mmCIF file of all heavy atoms in Angstrom:
data_model
loop_
_atom_site.group_PDB
_atom_site.id
_atom_site.type_symbol
_atom_site.label_atom_id
_atom_site.label_comp_id
_atom_site.label_asym_id
_atom_site.label_seq_id
_atom_site.Cartn_x
_atom_site.Cartn_y
_atom_site.Cartn_z
ATOM 1 N N THR A 42 -6.310 35.459 -8.288
ATOM 2 C CA THR A 42 -5.418 36.595 -8.498
ATOM 3 C C THR A 42 -6.084 37.654 -9.379
ATOM 4 O O THR A 42 -5.995 38.855 -9.109
ATOM 5 C CB THR A 42 -4.089 36.129 -9.121
ATOM 6 O OG1 THR A 42 -3.491 35.157 -8.249
ATOM 7 C CG2 THR A 42 -3.117 37.280 -9.287
ATOM 8 N N ALA A 43 -6.781 37.198 -10.406
ATOM 9 C CA ALA A 43 -7.486 38.118 -11.313
ATOM 10 C C ALA A 43 -8.586 38.881 -10.591
ATOM 11 O O ALA A 43 -8.906 40.017 -10.947
ATOM 12 C CB ALA A 43 -8.063 37.344 -12.494
ATOM 13 N N ALA A 44 -9.170 38.266 -9.568
ATOM 14 C CA ALA A 44 -10.282 38.882 -8.846
ATOM 15 C C ALA A 44 -9.822 39.861 -7.760
ATOM 16 O O ALA A 44 -10.604 40.696 -7.312
ATOM 17 C CB ALA A 44 -11.153 37.794 -8.210
ATOM 18 N N LEU A 45 -8.569 39.779 -7.352
ATOM 19 C CA LEU A 45 -8.074 40.607 -6.244
ATOM 20 C C LEU A 45 -8.393 42.101 -6.373
ATOM 21 O O LEU A 45 -8.839 42.713 -5.403
ATOM 22 C CB LEU A 45 -6.558 40.414 -6.051
ATOM 23 C CG LEU A 45 -6.109 39.094 -5.423
ATOM 24 C CD1 LEU A 45 -4.582 39.001 -5.456
ATOM 25 C CD2 LEU A 45 -6.627 38.923 -4.011
ATOM 26 N N PRO A 46 -8.174 42.714 -7.539
ATOM 27 C CA PRO A 46 -8.429 44.161 -7.647
ATOM 28 C C PRO A 46 -9.892 44.546 -7.413
ATOM 29 O O PRO A 46 -10.185 45.700 -7.113
ATOM 30 C CB PRO A 46 -8.021 44.492 -9.084
ATOM 31 C CG PRO A 46 -7.164 43.355 -9.528
ATOM 32 C CD PRO A 46 -7.627 42.153 -8.774
ATOM 33 N N PHE A 47 -10.792 43.582 -7.545
ATOM 34 C CA PHE A 47 -12.216 43.871 -7.414
ATOM 35 C C PHE A 47 -12.763 43.593 -6.015
ATOM 36 O O PHE A 47 -13.933 43.823 -5.741
ATOM 37 C CB PHE A 47 -13.012 43.052 -8.447
ATOM 38 C CG PHE A 47 -12.504 43.272 -9.853
ATOM 39 C CD1 PHE A 47 -11.681 42.335 -10.446
ATOM 40 C CD2 PHE A 47 -12.809 44.438 -10.541
ATOM 41 C CE1 PHE A 47 -11.194 42.543 -11.735
ATOM 42 C CE2 PHE A 47 -12.330 44.651 -11.829
ATOM 43 C CZ PHE A 47 -11.513 43.707 -12.423
ATOM 44 N N MET A 48 -11.899 43.072 -5.149
ATOM 45 C CA MET A 48 -12.332 42.729 -3.789
ATOM 46 C C MET A 48 -12.166 43.920 -2.850
ATOM 47 O O MET A 48 -11.293 44.760 -3.063
ATOM 48 C CB MET A 48 -11.476 41.574 -3.260
ATOM 49 C CG MET A 48 -11.643 40.279 -4.016
ATOM 50 S SD MET A 48 -10.525 39.018 -3.354
ATOM 51 C CE MET A 48 -10.933 37.623 -4.413
ATOM 52 N N ASP A 49 -12.984 43.936 -1.794
ATOM 53 C CA ASP A 49 -12.751 44.945 -0.773
ATOM 54 C C ASP A 49 -11.535 44.520 0.059
ATOM 55 O O ASP A 49 -11.034 43.400 -0.071
ATOM 56 C CB ASP A 49 -13.993 45.199 0.086
ATOM 57 C CG ASP A 49 -14.388 44.018 0.966
ATOM 58 O OD1 ASP A 49 -13.505 43.314 1.487
ATOM 59 O OD2 ASP A 49 -15.595 43.799 1.142
ATOM 60 N N VAL A 50 -11.068 45.431 0.903
ATOM 61 C CA VAL A 50 -9.815 45.215 1.623
ATOM 62 C C VAL A 50 -9.828 43.930 2.451
ATOM 63 O O VAL A 50 -8.888 43.139 2.394
ATOM 64 C CB VAL A 50 -9.483 46.430 2.530
ATOM 65 C CG1 VAL A 50 -8.251 46.139 3.380
ATOM 66 C CG2 VAL A 50 -9.263 47.668 1.678
ATOM 67 N N GLY A 51 -10.899 43.712 3.188
ATOM 68 C CA GLY A 51 -10.981 42.531 4.048
ATOM 69 C C GLY A 51 -10.940 41.237 3.259
ATOM 70 O O GLY A 51 -10.224 40.298 3.618
ATOM 71 N N LEU A 52 -11.688 41.206 2.166
ATOM 72 C CA LEU A 52 -11.727 40.015 1.333
ATOM 73 C C LEU A 52 -10.391 39.801 0.636
ATOM 74 O O LEU A 52 -9.916 38.673 0.494
ATOM 75 C CB LEU A 52 -12.854 40.122 0.301
ATOM 76 C CG LEU A 52 -13.145 38.858 -0.520
ATOM 77 C CD1 LEU A 52 -13.488 37.685 0.383
ATOM 78 C CD2 LEU A 52 -14.271 39.116 -1.500
ATOM 79 N N ARG A 53 -9.769 40.895 0.220
ATOM 80 C CA ARG A 53 -8.471 40.792 -0.451
ATOM 81 C C ARG A 53 -7.423 40.200 0.485
ATOM 82 O O ARG A 53 -6.622 39.361 0.079
ATOM 83 C CB ARG A 53 -8.012 42.154 -0.974
ATOM 84 C CG ARG A 53 -6.815 42.048 -1.908
ATOM 85 C CD ARG A 53 -6.364 43.395 -2.448
ATOM 86 N NE ARG A 53 -7.463 44.100 -3.073
ATOM 87 C CZ ARG A 53 -7.737 45.399 -2.841
ATOM 88 N NH1 ARG A 53 -7.009 46.111 -2.025
ATOM 89 N NH2 ARG A 53 -8.751 45.975 -3.454
ATOM 90 N N GLU A 54 -7.447 40.638 1.749
ATOM 91 C CA GLU A 54 -6.504 40.082 2.734
ATOM 92 C C GLU A 54 -6.731 38.588 2.902
ATOM 93 O O GLU A 54 -5.777 37.807 2.961
ATOM 94 C CB GLU A 54 -6.642 40.789 4.083
ATOM 95 C CG GLU A 54 -6.023 42.165 4.092
ATOM 96 C CD GLU A 54 -6.250 42.910 5.406
ATOM 97 O OE1 GLU A 54 -6.795 42.304 6.359
ATOM 98 O OE2 GLU A 54 -5.877 44.084 5.468
ATOM 99 N N LEU A 55 -7.998 38.191 2.984
ATOM 100 C CA LEU A 55 -8.342 36.775 3.093
ATOM 101 C C LEU A 55 -7.855 36.011 1.856
ATOM 102 O O LEU A 55 -7.237 34.948 1.977
ATOM 103 C CB LEU A 55 -9.860 36.611 3.241
ATOM 104 C CG LEU A 55 -10.388 35.167 3.193
ATOM 105 C CD1 LEU A 55 -9.893 34.359 4.384
ATOM 106 C CD2 LEU A 55 -11.906 35.165 3.143
ATOM 107 N N ALA A 56 -8.098 36.566 0.687
ATOM 108 C CA ALA A 56 -7.703 35.912 -0.569
ATOM 109 C C ALA A 56 -6.184 35.773 -0.670
ATOM 110 O O ALA A 56 -5.674 34.732 -1.075
ATOM 111 C CB ALA A 56 -8.247 36.688 -1.762
ATOM 112 N N GLU A 57 -5.463 36.825 -0.279
ATOM 113 C CA GLU A 57 -4.003 36.781 -0.353
ATOM 114 C C GLU A 57 -3.445 35.741 0.611
ATOM 115 O O GLU A 57 -2.505 35.012 0.286
ATOM 116 C CB GLU A 57 -3.410 38.164 -0.080
ATOM 117 C CG GLU A 57 -3.610 39.102 -1.262
ATOM 118 C CD GLU A 57 -3.242 40.542 -0.972
ATOM 119 O OE1 GLU A 57 -3.041 40.911 0.211
ATOM 120 O OE2 GLU A 57 -3.167 41.325 -1.937
ATOM 121 N N ARG A 58 -4.041 35.649 1.798
ATOM 122 C CA ARG A 58 -3.623 34.645 2.782
ATOM 123 C C ARG A 58 -3.917 33.235 2.254
ATOM 124 O O ARG A 58 -3.091 32.332 2.370
ATOM 125 C CB ARG A 58 -4.359 34.893 4.107
ATOM 126 C CG ARG A 58 -3.778 34.142 5.280
ATOM 127 C CD ARG A 58 -4.358 34.637 6.598
ATOM 128 N NE ARG A 58 -5.775 34.332 6.720
ATOM 129 C CZ ARG A 58 -6.740 35.239 6.933
ATOM 130 N NH1 ARG A 58 -6.446 36.511 7.045
ATOM 131 N NH2 ARG A 58 -8.001 34.863 7.044
ATOM 132 N N THR A 59 -5.085 33.085 1.651
ATOM 133 C CA THR A 59 -5.475 31.796 1.088
ATOM 134 C C THR A 59 -4.533 31.404 -0.048
ATOM 135 O O THR A 59 -4.058 30.266 -0.122
ATOM 136 C CB THR A 59 -6.928 31.842 0.573
ATOM 137 O OG1 THR A 59 -7.779 32.288 1.625
ATOM 138 C CG2 THR A 59 -7.395 30.472 0.109
ATOM 139 N N LEU A 60 -4.239 32.345 -0.923
ATOM 140 C CA LEU A 60 -3.330 32.090 -2.041
ATOM 141 C C LEU A 60 -1.948 31.668 -1.558
ATOM 142 O O LEU A 60 -1.350 30.748 -2.120
ATOM 143 C CB LEU A 60 -3.193 33.348 -2.915
ATOM 144 C CG LEU A 60 -4.320 33.598 -3.900
ATOM 145 C CD1 LEU A 60 -4.200 35.005 -4.485
ATOM 146 C CD2 LEU A 60 -4.306 32.560 -5.017
ATOM 147 N N SER A 61 -1.467 32.311 -0.507
ATOM 148 C CA SER A 61 -0.138 31.963 -0.010
ATOM 149 C C SER A 61 -0.107 30.533 0.531
ATOM 150 O O SER A 61 0.892 29.830 0.396
ATOM 151 C CB SER A 61 0.347 32.959 1.050
ATOM 152 O OG SER A 61 -0.428 32.848 2.224
ATOM 153 N N LYS A 62 -1.212 30.084 1.093
ATOM 154 C CA LYS A 62 -1.308 28.708 1.581
ATOM 155 C C LYS A 62 -1.447 27.727 0.430
ATOM 156 O O LYS A 62 -0.803 26.673 0.412
ATOM 157 C CB LYS A 62 -2.502 28.545 2.530
ATOM 158 C CG LYS A 62 -2.333 29.274 3.851
ATOM 159 C CD LYS A 62 -3.529 29.002 4.750
ATOM 160 C CE LYS A 62 -3.454 29.763 6.057
ATOM 161 N NZ LYS A 62 -4.587 29.413 6.931
ATOM 162 N N VAL A 63 -2.295 28.072 -0.531
ATOM 163 C CA VAL A 63 -2.526 27.186 -1.682
ATOM 164 C C VAL A 63 -1.234 26.950 -2.452
ATOM 165 O O VAL A 63 -0.944 25.833 -2.899
ATOM 166 C CB VAL A 63 -3.614 27.769 -2.616
ATOM 167 C CG1 VAL A 63 -3.645 27.023 -3.947
ATOM 168 C CG2 VAL A 63 -4.979 27.697 -1.943
#
Side-chain angles (χ1 to χ4, degrees):
T42 302
L45 286 173
F47 306 101
M48 295 177 180
D49 67 37
V50 174
L52 188 58
R53 191 179 306 133
E54 285 176 6
L55 173 65
E57 286 171 348
R58 194 168 67 237
T59 306
L60 280 168
S61 68
K62 291 183 183 183
V63 168

